[in-house]
Amino acid sequence: MAFNQNEVETLLANTGRRCCLCGILHKVQVHHIVAQGDGGSNDIDNGIPLCPNCHDEVHRQYAPGTTTRTYTATELKLHRQRTIEHLRKGASWVPGSPAYQEDKELILFYAQCLDRPAFRIYFHQE
């Protein structure tokens, strides 16, 4: 059995169709955070979009002598939540919004800081 298609589409839209680990766009698969064989369900809360490389990495089992840690269910859920929050925050950054205006003002300020005679000529010519 698989995830509900409508819920998968909502999850993919909420994550911007990005891998929740590396951020690659479009080439994602919805992975069961807790495998069905280990008691995981087909509830969409048990799903996370991952690219094929990250999907393989998540399935990698711990082996004696390795120095890297495997992904836990809690960590994967936190990565999914971070991706969703990042996308929502980015959606609020549109021309005219307070976040946009604040960034625009900062860019203009730094542009003025760098628009000085000392920055118009090369250091070896000073």
Side-chain angles (χ1 to χ4, degrees):
M1 192 150 189
F3 294 113
N4 176 291
Q5 187 62 32
N6 290 334
E7 292 176 335
V8 167
E9 291 171 1
T10 300
L11 177 63
L12 291 174
N14 287 341
T15 58
R17 217 166 175 56
R18 290 187 178 277
C19 173
C20 291
L21 295 180
C22 72
I24 194 169
L25 187 59
H26 299 304
K27 299 176 183 174
V28 294
Q29 306 161 344
V30 179
H31 164 73
H32 283 87
I33 294 173
V34 177
Q36 290 178 298
D38 295 333
S41 69
N42 284 318
D43 182 56
I44 200 62
D45 189 47
N46 189 36
I48 182 172
L50 299 173
C51 70
N53 289 338
C54 290
H55 198 164
D56 289 345
E57 184 65 26
V58 167
H59 279 289
R60 189 176 58 81
Q61 298 296 318
Y62 175 77
T66 59
T67 57
T68 57
R69 299 177 58 165
T70 56
Y71 288 94
T72 64
T74 302
E75 181 184 3
L76 290 172
K77 287 181 180 185
L78 289 170
H79 280 292
R80 180 186 61 205
Q81 187 59 37
R82 173 191 48 89
T83 302
I84 291 170
E85 288 172 4
H86 180 74
L87 190 66
R88 285 185 182 152
K89 185 177 179 182
S92 68
W93 196 85
V94 293
S97 70
Y100 179 91
Q101 286 303 116
E102 183 179 330
D103 285 351
K104 182 178 175 182
E105 290 170 14
L106 283 172
I107 290 169
L108 291 173
F109 170 75
Y110 288 118
Q112 288 177 338
C113 290
L114 296 173
D115 189 25
R116 300 283 187 257
F119 292 107
R120 293 187 190 137
I121 57 174
Y122 295 106
F123 288 112
H124 69 277
Q125 293 177 337
E126 288 184 352

